[in-house]
Amino acid sequence: MHSVAILVLDDVVPFDMAAPMQVFDWTQLPDGRPAYRVRLCAESPEVRADGGFTLRVEHGLDALAEADTVIVPGCSPTAGPPSPRALTALREAAAAGTRIASVCVGAFVLAEAGLLDGLRATTHWVAADDLAQRFPAVEVQPDVLYVDNGQILTSAGAAAALDMCLHMIRRDLGSAVAAHAARMSVMPLEREGGQAQFIVHDHPPVPRGSTLEPLLEWVEDNLAHEITLGAMAARSGMSERTFSRRFREQTGSTPLQWLLRARVRRAQYLLENTGHPVERIARQAGFGSPTAFRERFRRVVGTTPQAYRAAFHAKDAVPAGVRS
């Protein structure tokens, strides 16, 4: 079981602490077993929380040395500097190869420990300028939801931390487990933002019970074929103008945007679960050419198909040349 230690400092922001705690605690393996063991840890058994209450914490800083992932929530603006013992524990965990992530202004703690030097990082946009001024060795990116440097991750705020946690879960356990964790958290599996998200639906979101449900299911079944706005409108028995309006009302997207993301999702699934070459996947997902597929995929997902496959390809995927 993967161990997650959440480092709680004085004046910790409760939401910053609770968001990753709940997401990882709710994550289940396909057989129903818990995927993560989550522990709160602190320098002392009692920690003052922002909001006027005190937390009793069972685990000390030694829990960081035993963890596979360490998460540092943000603290209130009135909090003092992190203790030398906490910073040392973070540095030692990083030196041992532990994955370390921050929530919101928790990035300041990582920066104070020297863990962000020479790396890209983000934090809450209100604090981004301050982070850049205080730690000039850090490349601050204020307009993204989170930044993944591999071992070190930072998120823009508690809500963005949910996106970051889902991203880590997908890295660890695959898209199906991440999708279930997102549903348990009542979270969308992808969000528009400064950084394209890897976490997506295995299937596009279909508004169940809506008048468009049969059409959208038909679209999913025919992604390899040419699908035009006119064809979708005709199948729904509407004019293109009325269809576009109804579609946006029921899905929050335009028909062509929804179709594009459905095709990208299909391509992600094939990249993860088959060994098919990119050219074949481009055809199966309905893209006009491999070049168009690569350009669209990079624009939506934020990386190339080859890099995505390298990161998320399942160990038991169907090899190239085997029919799926």
Side-chain angles (χ1 to χ4, degrees):
M1 186 184 297
H2 189 110
S3 176
V4 176
I6 299 178
L7 176 59
V8 183
L9 304 174
D10 270 332
D11 295 306
V12 63
V13 177
F15 189 22
D16 288 7
M17 172 190 69
M21 182 172 65
Q22 290 298 115
V23 173
F24 284 112
D25 192 51
W26 284 336
T27 303
Q28 295 180 355
L29 297 173
D31 62 7
R33 290 180 295 125
Y36 296 90
R37 181 177 63 248
V38 183
R39 294 174 173 174
L40 295 181
C41 60
E43 187 172 353
S44 60
E46 292 192 355
V47 177
R48 183 177 62 251
D50 184 40
F53 60 94
T54 300
L55 296 169
R56 289 198 58 82
V57 182
E58 295 183 358
H59 302 280
L61 293 178
D62 54 347
L64 272 64
E66 302 170 359
D68 300 296
T69 297
V70 172
I71 297 179
V72 182
C75 298
S76 74
T78 58
S83 74
R85 285 191 61 210
L87 294 177
T88 297
L90 280 172
R91 294 186 189 106
E92 291 176 349
T98 303
R99 181 172 63 187
I100 299 177
S102 65
V103 179
C104 196
V105 293
F108 284 79
V109 180
L110 302 193
E112 191 73 40
L115 302 184
L116 298 182
D117 288 355
L119 298 179
R120 296 178 301 114
T122 193
T123 186
H124 195 290
W125 62 270
V126 169
D129 287 344
D130 188 27
L131 182 66
Q133 291 174 8
R134 288 178 54 186
F135 302 99
V138 180
E139 183 184 341
V140 179
Q141 298 189 321
D143 57 349
V144 298
L145 295 176
Y146 63 83
V147 173
D148 180 358
N149 291 291
Q151 182 187 3
I152 307 294
L153 300 91
T154 53
S155 65
L162 297 174
D163 295 274
M164 179 182 70
C165 290
L166 291 172
H167 172 66
M168 289 192 284
I169 292 167
R170 184 164 189 157
R171 273 179 47 182
D172 295 340
L173 301 168
S175 59
V177 174
H180 181 265
R183 287 192 294 271
M184 290 296 294
S185 302
V186 197
M187 274 284 294
L189 293 178
E190 63 176 311
R191 287 204 300 164
E192 295 291 343
Q195 174 174 317
Q197 301 301 294
F198 283 133
I199 302 302
V200 298
H201 288 285
D202 289 328
H203 301 286
V206 177
R208 298 300 175 190
S210 77
T211 58
L212 291 178
E213 182 176 350
L215 169 72
L216 299 185
E217 291 179 347
W218 173 81
V219 170
E220 288 186 61
D221 292 338
N222 292 274
L223 288 174
H225 306 291
E226 182 181 3
I227 301 174
T228 65
L229 176 61
M232 287 188 283
R235 193 171 185 86
S236 301
M238 307 178 198
S239 68
E240 291 186 13
R241 182 174 180 180
T242 300
F243 172 72
S244 295
R245 184 178 69 252
R246 295 277 178 83
F247 196 97
R248 181 177 285 277
E249 289 172 353
Q250 294 189 31
T251 69
S253 174
T254 69
L256 295 183
Q257 286 173 337
W258 194 95
L259 176 61
L260 171 61
R261 289 189 174 272
R263 285 182 162 148
V264 169
R265 291 182 181 98
R266 175 65 56 81
Q268 286 178 305
Y269 175 83
L270 293 170
L271 288 166
E272 291 179 20
N273 294 283
T274 76
H276 298 168
V278 168
E279 291 75 13
R280 179 175 173 182
I281 290 176
R283 292 195 304 271
Q284 290 175 303
F287 289 92
S289 68
T291 300
F293 167 52
R294 291 185 178 94
E295 292 176 354
R296 288 289 188 177
F297 190 91
R298 187 181 186 97
R299 187 177 305 173
V300 174
V301 182
T303 190
T304 65
Q306 290 86 350
Y308 183 89
R309 168 171 274 168
F312 297 118
H313 192 242
K315 293 180 181 179
D316 58 350
V318 178
V322 177
R323 295 184 63 185
S324 59

